[in-house]
Amino acid sequence: MTAADTRVYRLGEFHPFKGGDKRFLYLVPAGAIFEMDNDVSKLISLLSQGPVQHEQLIDGLVAEGVATSDAEQLLGEMYQARIVLNGKSSPEPPQNPPGVFPLQTLVLNLTNQCNLSCQYCYEFGEDKVATPEGKPKFMNLETAKASVDFLLEQSVGRKGVHITFFGGETLMNFPLLKNVVAYANEKAAAQGRSIDFSLTTNATLLTPAIIEFLSENRIGVTVSMDGPKEMHDKLRVFANGRGSYDIIEPRVRALIQGHRTRPITARVTLTAGVTDVVKIYRHLKEDLGFHEVGFAPVTTSPDRLYAINEQGMDGVLDQFHVLASEYLEYALRGEMHGFTNVSDTLAELCQGVNKSHPCGAGLGLLGVGPSGDIAPCHRFVDSDVHALGHISTGIDREKQNAFLDRGHIDTKYDCHTCWARPLCAGGCHHEAYVRYGDTGHPNLHYCDWIRDWTDTCLQIYGAISAKNPGFLEAFAERKAS
């Protein structure tokens, strides 16, 4: 007589969604996507009311028209995929980085000075964390060269690495930028490696000569621009209060026309009164000709006048949905749309991302200030509280580990029951510090928003994979902006 199988099964952790005419599961512990068929649906339905013993589960599947042998095989496969669990199952941890993570990107803040006085600036605005007093305002060549050497030394095993030039306004120290490009290319070539460059700029200082240099050296460019004149000039102003749109508009057009070796992208900061996402996108993408346009709500305390309230964020999400629908239409025709926020999420879905931390800050990415201080990322540059060392002495591993331990998803208990945590991991460290005074605090004010947006992108992914799967191949190597 055969002993009864006493195993009891329950549903694993997943988020169901539809794409096109197909049904999918987003498997939370693995950050993976699984396409459902009718038999899988039957199995999930049987477990939807609670745990079921093995024999009862098989009998239930047979009663639904599944052959006994197929039912056993199905249950085994779904157990391996962790769609169903039993008492022996243990949670699958997120992808933890190795003990020493090789550096991938270094953000060089060439200067902490800027020729604009944008009211929402995280570096010098009301919520600044930087403490630049008594420190150099412009990075010198010695510090820049040491930073390049540091990047190459700390990126063992990587064939290619990346430098992002940042500010302040990056182009206020353009002579140094030119020297860094030449030095970094020479040093990388001597090691048989490659080095890639990008920069962020407000575009006010662009000239034909600068544009030519950027194009010749294949330097990626992101322009901080908040839409058409009436919106851009609300907060992106000079010290005298004069808007900057009329200065940058012809320079942006010249950049897009003259820089032919890399796509030119726009980065929009959404603030109270600057939330017409569709109008901003139309202007930047269709009127000016940016290759891609990405949007981010301003990082600020909730009581600032330019902070977006809950109703405003709901309106932003509604407009994100409009552009997301357009994106899907383009994708099904095999065309790129240009809405960065969808592309970045699709890339993470395609790559099966399951984050232990919200981003690469303090891991594969570090920032270096004009003084040579090392920070977790560019948003913490010049902050004594968040410094992780100095370029002349290297990383303080104790401080780095403390920052990473604090930001790990395992410490964010509010996130442990959220199905979107593989992509979010609690949200931006800097946002958390500004809002809650703690880099490791989950950004709870965005939770519902993030879940809604992630579900939207999952549906887009599902529809594309069902109707034009080849389109997704381009996202296998894409890095999020």
Side-chain angles (χ1 to χ4, degrees), residues 88-111:
K88 298 178 181 180
S89 303
S90 58
E92 186 170 337
Q95 300 164 344
N96 282 314
V100 177
F101 195 84
L103 199 56
Q104 174 73 59
T105 298
L106 201 63
V107 183
L108 294 186
N109 279 51
L110 301 184
T111 178

mmCIF file with all atom_site columns, all heavy atoms in Angstrom, residues 88-111:
data_model
loop_
_atom_site.group_PDB
_atom_site.id
_atom_site.type_symbol
_atom_site.label_atom_id
_atom_site.label_alt_id
_atom_site.label_comp_id
_atom_site.label_asym_id
_atom_site.label_entity_id
_atom_site.label_seq_id
_atom_site.pdbx_PDB_ins_code
_atom_site.Cartn_x
_atom_site.Cartn_y
_atom_site.Cartn_z
_atom_site.occupancy
_atom_site.B_iso_or_equiv
_atom_site.pdbx_formal_charge
_atom_site.auth_seq_id
_atom_site.auth_comp_id
_atom_site.auth_asym_id
_atom_site.auth_atom_id
_atom_site.pdbx_PDB_model_num
ATOM 1   N N   . LYS A 1 88  ? 8.483  23.118 2.518   1.00 0.00 ? 88  LYS A N   1
ATOM 2   C CA  . LYS A 1 88  ? 9.942  23.086 2.465   1.00 0.00 ? 88  LYS A CA  1
ATOM 3   C C   . LYS A 1 88  ? 10.527 24.293 1.717   1.00 0.00 ? 88  LYS A C   1
ATOM 4   O O   . LYS A 1 88  ? 11.733 24.489 1.708   1.00 0.00 ? 88  LYS A O   1
ATOM 5   C CB  . LYS A 1 88  ? 10.405 21.799 1.787   1.00 0.00 ? 88  LYS A CB  1
ATOM 6   C CG  . LYS A 1 88  ? 9.991  20.526 2.515   1.00 0.00 ? 88  LYS A CG  1
ATOM 7   C CD  . LYS A 1 88  ? 10.460 19.294 1.746   1.00 0.00 ? 88  LYS A CD  1
ATOM 8   C CE  . LYS A 1 88  ? 10.040 18.023 2.456   1.00 0.00 ? 88  LYS A CE  1
ATOM 9   N NZ  . LYS A 1 88  ? 10.478 16.803 1.720   1.00 0.00 ? 88  LYS A NZ  1
ATOM 10  N N   . SER A 1 89  ? 9.675  25.055 1.091   1.00 0.00 ? 89  SER A N   1
ATOM 11  C CA  . SER A 1 89  ? 10.159 26.167 0.273   1.00 0.00 ? 89  SER A CA  1
ATOM 12  C C   . SER A 1 89  ? 10.691 27.293 1.159   1.00 0.00 ? 89  SER A C   1
ATOM 13  O O   . SER A 1 89  ? 10.131 27.591 2.214   1.00 0.00 ? 89  SER A O   1
ATOM 14  C CB  . SER A 1 89  ? 9.031  26.708 -0.610  1.00 0.00 ? 89  SER A CB  1
ATOM 15  O OG  . SER A 1 89  ? 8.503  25.674 -1.414  1.00 0.00 ? 89  SER A OG  1
ATOM 16  N N   . SER A 1 90  ? 11.749 27.918 0.721   1.00 0.00 ? 90  SER A N   1
ATOM 17  C CA  . SER A 1 90  ? 12.296 29.081 1.417   1.00 0.00 ? 90  SER A CA  1
ATOM 18  C C   . SER A 1 90  ? 12.336 30.263 0.460   1.00 0.00 ? 90  SER A C   1
ATOM 19  O O   . SER A 1 90  ? 12.428 30.081 -0.750  1.00 0.00 ? 90  SER A O   1
ATOM 20  C CB  . SER A 1 90  ? 13.703 28.781 1.939   1.00 0.00 ? 90  SER A CB  1
ATOM 21  O OG  . SER A 1 90  ? 14.561 28.404 0.870   1.00 0.00 ? 90  SER A OG  1
ATOM 22  N N   . PRO A 1 91  ? 12.244 31.482 0.988   1.00 0.00 ? 91  PRO A N   1
ATOM 23  C CA  . PRO A 1 91  ? 12.239 32.657 0.109   1.00 0.00 ? 91  PRO A CA  1
ATOM 24  C C   . PRO A 1 91  ? 13.513 32.749 -0.724  1.00 0.00 ? 91  PRO A C   1
ATOM 25  O O   . PRO A 1 91  ? 14.606 32.415 -0.255  1.00 0.00 ? 91  PRO A O   1
ATOM 26  C CB  . PRO A 1 91  ? 12.149 33.828 1.100   1.00 0.00 ? 91  PRO A CB  1
ATOM 27  C CG  . PRO A 1 91  ? 11.621 33.241 2.366   1.00 0.00 ? 91  PRO A CG  1
ATOM 28  C CD  . PRO A 1 91  ? 12.122 31.843 2.399   1.00 0.00 ? 91  PRO A CD  1
ATOM 29  N N   . GLU A 1 92  ? 13.369 33.190 -1.949  1.00 0.00 ? 92  GLU A N   1
ATOM 30  C CA  . GLU A 1 92  ? 14.516 33.397 -2.821  1.00 0.00 ? 92  GLU A CA  1
ATOM 31  C C   . GLU A 1 92  ? 15.022 34.827 -2.632  1.00 0.00 ? 92  GLU A C   1
ATOM 32  O O   . GLU A 1 92  ? 14.273 35.781 -2.802  1.00 0.00 ? 92  GLU A O   1
ATOM 33  C CB  . GLU A 1 92  ? 14.118 33.174 -4.279  1.00 0.00 ? 92  GLU A CB  1
ATOM 34  C CG  . GLU A 1 92  ? 15.284 33.233 -5.234  1.00 0.00 ? 92  GLU A CG  1
ATOM 35  C CD  . GLU A 1 92  ? 14.889 32.771 -6.630  1.00 0.00 ? 92  GLU A CD  1
ATOM 36  O OE1 . GLU A 1 92  ? 13.907 32.023 -6.744  1.00 0.00 ? 92  GLU A OE1 1
ATOM 37  O OE2 . GLU A 1 92  ? 15.561 33.164 -7.589  1.00 0.00 ? 92  GLU A OE2 1
ATOM 38  N N   . PRO A 1 93  ? 16.293 34.991 -2.240  1.00 0.00 ? 93  PRO A N   1
ATOM 39  C CA  . PRO A 1 93  ? 16.792 36.342 -1.950  1.00 0.00 ? 93  PRO A CA  1
ATOM 40  C C   . PRO A 1 93  ? 17.002 37.147 -3.223  1.00 0.00 ? 93  PRO A C   1
ATOM 41  O O   . PRO A 1 93  ? 17.115 36.580 -4.321  1.00 0.00 ? 93  PRO A O   1
ATOM 42  C CB  . PRO A 1 93  ? 18.128 36.070 -1.262  1.00 0.00 ? 93  PRO A CB  1
ATOM 43  C CG  . PRO A 1 93  ? 18.586 34.763 -1.853  1.00 0.00 ? 93  PRO A CG  1
ATOM 44  C CD  . PRO A 1 93  ? 17.331 33.970 -2.065  1.00 0.00 ? 93  PRO A CD  1
ATOM 45  N N   . PRO A 1 94  ? 17.063 38.480 -3.100  1.00 0.00 ? 94  PRO A N   1
ATOM 46  C CA  . PRO A 1 94  ? 17.393 39.308 -4.261  1.00 0.00 ? 94  PRO A CA  1
ATOM 47  C C   . PRO A 1 94  ? 18.832 39.083 -4.688  1.00 0.00 ? 94  PRO A C   1
ATOM 48  O O   . PRO A 1 94  ? 19.608 38.423 -3.984  1.00 0.00 ? 94  PRO A O   1
ATOM 49  C CB  . PRO A 1 94  ? 17.185 40.741 -3.741  1.00 0.00 ? 94  PRO A CB  1
ATOM 50  C CG  . PRO A 1 94  ? 17.417 40.634 -2.275  1.00 0.00 ? 94  PRO A CG  1
ATOM 51  C CD  . PRO A 1 94  ? 16.886 39.281 -1.886  1.00 0.00 ? 94  PRO A CD  1
ATOM 52  N N   . GLN A 1 95  ? 19.202 39.637 -5.842  1.00 0.00 ? 95  GLN A N   1
ATOM 53  C CA  . GLN A 1 95  ? 20.554 39.480 -6.355  1.00 0.00 ? 95  GLN A CA  1
ATOM 54  C C   . GLN A 1 95  ? 21.505 40.354 -5.536  1.00 0.00 ? 95  GLN A C   1
ATOM 55  O O   . GLN A 1 95  ? 21.572 41.560 -5.722  1.00 0.00 ? 95  GLN A O   1
ATOM 56  C CB  . GLN A 1 95  ? 20.600 39.889 -7.833  1.00 0.00 ? 95  GLN A CB  1
ATOM 57  C CG  . GLN A 1 95  ? 19.691 39.061 -8.710  1.00 0.00 ? 95  GLN A CG  1
ATOM 58  C CD  . GLN A 1 95  ? 19.436 39.696 -10.064 1.00 0.00 ? 95  GLN A CD  1
ATOM 59  O OE1 . GLN A 1 95  ? 19.685 40.885 -10.264 1.00 0.00 ? 95  GLN A OE1 1
ATOM 60  N NE2 . GLN A 1 95  ? 18.948 38.923 -10.998 1.00 0.00 ? 95  GLN A NE2 1
ATOM 61  N N   . ASN A 1 96  ? 22.243 39.740 -4.645  1.00 0.00 ? 96  ASN A N   1
ATOM 62  C CA  . ASN A 1 96  ? 23.189 40.491 -3.836  1.00 0.00 ? 96  ASN A CA  1
ATOM 63  C C   . ASN A 1 96  ? 24.491 40.705 -4.601  1.00 0.00 ? 96  ASN A C   1
ATOM 64  O O   . ASN A 1 96  ? 24.969 39.798 -5.300  1.00 0.00 ? 96  ASN A O   1
ATOM 65  C CB  . ASN A 1 96  ? 23.491 39.752 -2.533  1.00 0.00 ? 96  ASN A CB  1
ATOM 66  C CG  . ASN A 1 96  ? 22.383 39.908 -1.514  1.00 0.00 ? 96  ASN A CG  1
ATOM 67  O OD1 . ASN A 1 96  ? 21.906 41.011 -1.303  1.00 0.00 ? 96  ASN A OD1 1
ATOM 68  N ND2 . ASN A 1 96  ? 21.968 38.812 -0.907  1.00 0.00 ? 96  ASN A ND2 1
ATOM 69  N N   . PRO A 1 97  ? 25.078 41.881 -4.485  1.00 0.00 ? 97  PRO A N   1
ATOM 70  C CA  . PRO A 1 97  ? 26.361 42.112 -5.147  1.00 0.00 ? 97  PRO A CA  1
ATOM 71  C C   . PRO A 1 97  ? 27.467 41.350 -4.436  1.00 0.00 ? 97  PRO A C   1
ATOM 72  O O   . PRO A 1 97  ? 27.336 41.002 -3.260  1.00 0.00 ? 97  PRO A O   1
ATOM 73  C CB  . PRO A 1 97  ? 26.553 43.631 -4.992  1.00 0.00 ? 97  PRO A CB  1
ATOM 74  C CG  . PRO A 1 97  ? 25.786 43.980 -3.762  1.00 0.00 ? 97  PRO A CG  1
ATOM 75  C CD  . PRO A 1 97  ? 24.600 43.058 -3.748  1.00 0.00 ? 97  PRO A CD  1
ATOM 76  N N   . PRO A 1 98  ? 28.564 41.078 -5.127  1.00 0.00 ? 98  PRO A N   1
ATOM 77  C CA  . PRO A 1 98  ? 29.695 40.427 -4.466  1.00 0.00 ? 98  PRO A CA  1
ATOM 78  C C   . PRO A 1 98  ? 30.318 41.349 -3.417  1.00 0.00 ? 98  PRO A C   1
ATOM 79  O O   . PRO A 1 98  ? 30.036 42.552 -3.390  1.00 0.00 ? 98  PRO A O   1
ATOM 80  C CB  . PRO A 1 98  ? 30.667 40.169 -5.625  1.00 0.00 ? 98  PRO A CB  1
ATOM 81  C CG  . PRO A 1 98  ? 30.289 41.163 -6.673  1.00 0.00 ? 98  PRO A CG  1
ATOM 82  C CD  . PRO A 1 98  ? 28.813 41.357 -6.547  1.00 0.00 ? 98  PRO A CD  1
ATOM 83  N N   . GLY A 1 99  ? 31.176 40.791 -2.582  1.00 0.00 ? 99  GLY A N   1
ATOM 84  C CA  . GLY A 1 99  ? 31.785 41.571 -1.515  1.00 0.00 ? 99  GLY A CA  1
ATOM 85  C C   . GLY A 1 99  ? 32.504 42.809 -2.009  1.00 0.00 ? 99  GLY A C   1
ATOM 86  O O   . GLY A 1 99  ? 32.372 43.892 -1.442  1.00 0.00 ? 99  GLY A O   1
ATOM 87  N N   . VAL A 1 100 ? 33.303 42.643 -3.047  1.00 0.00 ? 100 VAL A N   1
ATOM 88  C CA  . VAL A 1 100 ? 33.963 43.782 -3.685  1.00 0.00 ? 100 VAL A CA  1
ATOM 89  C C   . VAL A 1 100 ? 33.423 43.879 -5.101  1.00 0.00 ? 100 VAL A C   1
ATOM 90  O O   . VAL A 1 100 ? 33.692 43.017 -5.940  1.00 0.00 ? 100 VAL A O   1
ATOM 91  C CB  . VAL A 1 100 ? 35.497 43.619 -3.697  1.00 0.00 ? 100 VAL A CB  1
ATOM 92  C CG1 . VAL A 1 100 ? 36.137 44.791 -4.426  1.00 0.00 ? 100 VAL A CG1 1
ATOM 93  C CG2 . VAL A 1 100 ? 36.025 43.524 -2.279  1.00 0.00 ? 100 VAL A CG2 1
ATOM 94  N N   . PHE A 1 101 ? 32.673 44.926 -5.349  1.00 0.00 ? 101 PHE A N   1
ATOM 95  C CA  . PHE A 1 101 ? 31.991 45.069 -6.634  1.00 0.00 ? 101 PHE A CA  1
ATOM 96  C C   . PHE A 1 101 ? 32.836 45.956 -7.558  1.00 0.00 ? 101 PHE A C   1
ATOM 97  O O   . PHE A 1 101 ? 33.153 47.090 -7.195  1.00 0.00 ? 101 PHE A O   1
ATOM 98  C CB  . PHE A 1 101 ? 30.612 45.703 -6.422  1.00 0.00 ? 101 PHE A CB  1
ATOM 99  C CG  . PHE A 1 101 ? 29.690 45.567 -7.596  1.00 0.00 ? 101 PHE A CG  1
ATOM 100 C CD1 . PHE A 1 101 ? 28.941 44.416 -7.768  1.00 0.00 ? 101 PHE A CD1 1
ATOM 101 C CD2 . PHE A 1 101 ? 29.576 46.576 -8.541  1.00 0.00 ? 101 PHE A CD2 1
ATOM 102 C CE1 . PHE A 1 101 ? 28.078 44.273 -8.840  1.00 0.00 ? 101 PHE A CE1 1
ATOM 103 C CE2 . PHE A 1 101 ? 28.712 46.452 -9.615  1.00 0.00 ? 101 PHE A CE2 1
ATOM 104 C CZ  . PHE A 1 101 ? 27.973 45.289 -9.764  1.00 0.00 ? 101 PHE A CZ  1
ATOM 105 N N   . PRO A 1 102 ? 33.234 45.476 -8.727  1.00 0.00 ? 102 PRO A N   1
ATOM 106 C CA  . PRO A 1 102 ? 34.073 46.290 -9.612  1.00 0.00 ? 102 PRO A CA  1
ATOM 107 C C   . PRO A 1 102 ? 33.329 47.522 -10.113 1.00 0.00 ? 102 PRO A C   1
ATOM 108 O O   . PRO A 1 102 ? 32.169 47.444 -10.501 1.00 0.00 ? 102 PRO A O   1
ATOM 109 C CB  . PRO A 1 102 ? 34.417 45.337 -10.760 1.00 0.00 ? 102 PRO A CB  1
ATOM 110 C CG  . PRO A 1 102 ? 33.350 44.292 -10.737 1.00 0.00 ? 102 PRO A CG  1
ATOM 111 C CD  . PRO A 1 102 ? 32.939 44.149 -9.302  1.00 0.00 ? 102 PRO A CD  1
ATOM 112 N N   . LEU A 1 103 ? 34.007 48.640 -10.077 1.00 0.00 ? 103 LEU A N   1
ATOM 113 C CA  . LEU A 1 103 ? 33.407 49.900 -10.493 1.00 0.00 ? 103 LEU A CA  1
ATOM 114 C C   . LEU A 1 103 ? 33.089 49.878 -11.986 1.00 0.00 ? 103 LEU A C   1
ATOM 115 O O   . LEU A 1 103 ? 33.851 49.338 -12.790 1.00 0.00 ? 103 LEU A O   1
ATOM 116 C CB  . LEU A 1 103 ? 34.386 51.041 -10.179 1.00 0.00 ? 103 LEU A CB  1
ATOM 117 C CG  . LEU A 1 103 ? 33.842 52.458 -10.096 1.00 0.00 ? 103 LEU A CG  1
ATOM 118 C CD1 . LEU A 1 103 ? 32.716 52.562 -9.072  1.00 0.00 ? 103 LEU A CD1 1
ATOM 119 C CD2 . LEU A 1 103 ? 34.976 53.424 -9.713  1.00 0.00 ? 103 LEU A CD2 1
ATOM 120 N N   . GLN A 1 104 ? 31.959 50.453 -12.358 1.00 0.00 ? 104 GLN A N   1
ATOM 121 C CA  . GLN A 1 104 ? 31.549 50.540 -13.752 1.00 0.00 ? 104 GLN A CA  1
ATOM 122 C C   . GLN A 1 104 ? 31.518 51.981 -14.239 1.00 0.00 ? 104 GLN A C   1
ATOM 123 O O   . GLN A 1 104 ? 31.931 52.286 -15.359 1.00 0.00 ? 104 GLN A O   1
ATOM 124 C CB  . GLN A 1 104 ? 30.162 49.923 -13.935 1.00 0.00 ? 104 GLN A CB  1
ATOM 125 C CG  . GLN A 1 104 ? 29.557 50.081 -15.333 1.00 0.00 ? 104 GLN A CG  1
ATOM 126 C CD  . GLN A 1 104 ? 30.211 49.202 -16.364 1.00 0.00 ? 104 GLN A CD  1
ATOM 127 O OE1 . GLN A 1 104 ? 30.217 47.984 -16.228 1.00 0.00 ? 104 GLN A OE1 1
ATOM 128 N NE2 . GLN A 1 104 ? 30.805 49.785 -17.395 1.00 0.00 ? 104 GLN A NE2 1
ATOM 129 N N   . THR A 1 105 ? 31.008 52.874 -13.387 1.00 0.00 ? 105 THR A N   1
ATOM 130 C CA  . THR A 1 105 ? 30.803 54.269 -13.791 1.00 0.00 ? 105 THR A CA  1
ATOM 131 C C   . THR A 1 105 ? 31.317 55.211 -12.713 1.00 0.00 ? 105 THR A C   1
ATOM 132 O O   . THR A 1 105 ? 31.072 55.004 -11.524 1.00 0.00 ? 105 THR A O   1
ATOM 133 C CB  . THR A 1 105 ? 29.305 54.543 -14.014 1.00 0.00 ? 105 THR A CB  1
ATOM 134 O OG1 . THR A 1 105 ? 28.828 53.708 -15.073 1.00 0.00 ? 105 THR A OG1 1
ATOM 135 C CG2 . THR A 1 105 ? 29.071 56.005 -14.377 1.00 0.00 ? 105 THR A CG2 1
ATOM 136 N N   . LEU A 1 106 ? 32.003 56.246 -13.154 1.00 0.00 ? 106 LEU A N   1
ATOM 137 C CA  . LEU A 1 106 ? 32.429 57.309 -12.258 1.00 0.00 ? 106 LEU A CA  1
ATOM 138 C C   . LEU A 1 106 ? 31.817 58.614 -12.755 1.00 0.00 ? 106 LEU A C   1
ATOM 139 O O   . LEU A 1 106 ? 31.940 58.964 -13.931 1.00 0.00 ? 106 LEU A O   1
ATOM 140 C CB  . LEU A 1 106 ? 33.951 57.421 -12.248 1.00 0.00 ? 106 LEU A CB  1
ATOM 141 C CG  . LEU A 1 106 ? 34.566 58.121 -11.030 1.00 0.00 ? 106 LEU A CG  1
ATOM 142 C CD1 . LEU A 1 106 ? 34.272 57.337 -9.762  1.00 0.00 ? 106 LEU A CD1 1
ATOM 143 C CD2 . LEU A 1 106 ? 36.073 58.287 -11.204 1.00 0.00 ? 106 LEU A CD2 1
ATOM 144 N N   . VAL A 1 107 ? 31.137 59.314 -11.856 1.00 0.00 ? 107 VAL A N   1
ATOM 145 C CA  . VAL A 1 107 ? 30.540 60.605 -12.182 1.00 0.00 ? 107 VAL A CA  1
ATOM 146 C C   . VAL A 1 107 ? 31.478 61.691 -11.665 1.00 0.00 ? 107 VAL A C   1
ATOM 147 O O   . VAL A 1 107 ? 31.681 61.815 -10.454 1.00 0.00 ? 107 VAL A O   1
ATOM 148 C CB  . VAL A 1 107 ? 29.146 60.772 -11.546 1.00 0.00 ? 107 VAL A CB  1
ATOM 149 C CG1 . VAL A 1 107 ? 28.530 62.107 -11.968 1.00 0.00 ? 107 VAL A CG1 1
ATOM 150 C CG2 . VAL A 1 107 ? 28.233 59.616 -11.962 1.00 0.00 ? 107 VAL A CG2 1
ATOM 151 N N   . LEU A 1 108 ? 32.057 62.431 -12.584 1.00 0.00 ? 108 LEU A N   1
ATOM 152 C CA  . LEU A 1 108 ? 32.984 63.500 -12.213 1.00 0.00 ? 108 LEU A CA  1
ATOM 153 C C   . LEU A 1 108 ? 32.234 64.828 -12.170 1.00 0.00 ? 108 LEU A C   1
ATOM 154 O O   . LEU A 1 108 ? 31.809 65.341 -13.203 1.00 0.00 ? 108 LEU A O   1
ATOM 155 C CB  . LEU A 1 108 ? 34.138 63.595 -13.216 1.00 0.00 ? 108 LEU A CB  1
ATOM 156 C CG  . LEU A 1 108 ? 35.104 62.421 -13.300 1.00 0.00 ? 108 LEU A CG  1
ATOM 157 C CD1 . LEU A 1 108 ? 36.259 62.772 -14.242 1.00 0.00 ? 108 LEU A CD1 1
ATOM 158 C CD2 . LEU A 1 108 ? 35.637 62.060 -11.926 1.00 0.00 ? 108 LEU A CD2 1
ATOM 159 N N   . ASN A 1 109 ? 32.078 65.376 -10.983 1.00 0.00 ? 109 ASN A N   1
ATOM 160 C CA  . ASN A 1 109 ? 31.505 66.719 -10.861 1.00 0.00 ? 109 ASN A CA  1
ATOM 161 C C   . ASN A 1 109 ? 32.629 67.719 -11.112 1.00 0.00 ? 109 ASN A C   1
ATOM 162 O O   . ASN A 1 109 ? 33.388 68.053 -10.208 1.00 0.00 ? 109 ASN A O   1
ATOM 163 C CB  . ASN A 1 109 ? 30.888 66.912 -9.470  1.00 0.00 ? 109 ASN A CB  1
ATOM 164 C CG  . ASN A 1 109 ? 29.509 66.299 -9.365  1.00 0.00 ? 109 ASN A CG  1
ATOM 165 O OD1 . ASN A 1 109 ? 29.329 65.133 -9.703  1.00 0.00 ? 109 ASN A OD1 1
ATOM 166 N ND2 . ASN A 1 109 ? 28.549 67.068 -8.902  1.00 0.00 ? 109 ASN A ND2 1
ATOM 167 N N   . LEU A 1 110 ? 32.733 68.172 -12.347 1.00 0.00 ? 110 LEU A N   1
ATOM 168 C CA  . LEU A 1 110 ? 33.845 69.036 -12.740 1.00 0.00 ? 110 LEU A CA  1
ATOM 169 C C   . LEU A 1 110 ? 33.803 70.380 -12.023 1.00 0.00 ? 110 LEU A C   1
ATOM 170 O O   . LEU A 1 110 ? 34.832 71.041 -11.886 1.00 0.00 ? 110 LEU A O   1
ATOM 171 C CB  . LEU A 1 110 ? 33.826 69.251 -14.253 1.00 0.00 ? 110 LEU A CB  1
ATOM 172 C CG  . LEU A 1 110 ? 33.938 67.991 -15.111 1.00 0.00 ? 110 LEU A CG  1
ATOM 173 C CD1 . LEU A 1 110 ? 33.996 68.360 -16.587 1.00 0.00 ? 110 LEU A CD1 1
ATOM 174 C CD2 . LEU A 1 110 ? 35.157 67.175 -14.714 1.00 0.00 ? 110 LEU A CD2 1
ATOM 175 N N   . THR A 1 111 ? 32.625 70.789 -11.596 1.00 0.00 ? 111 THR A N   1
ATOM 176 C CA  . THR A 1 111 ? 32.476 72.024 -10.843 1.00 0.00 ? 111 THR A CA  1
ATOM 177 C C   . THR A 1 111 ? 31.189 71.956 -10.029 1.00 0.00 ? 111 THR A C   1
ATOM 178 O O   . THR A 1 111 ? 30.237 71.272 -10.419 1.00 0.00 ? 111 THR A O   1
ATOM 179 C CB  . THR A 1 111 ? 32.433 73.255 -11.774 1.00 0.00 ? 111 THR A CB  1
ATOM 180 O OG1 . THR A 1 111 ? 32.238 74.435 -10.986 1.00 0.00 ? 111 THR A OG1 1
ATOM 181 C CG2 . THR A 1 111 ? 31.303 73.146 -12.789 1.00 0.00 ? 111 THR A CG2 1
#
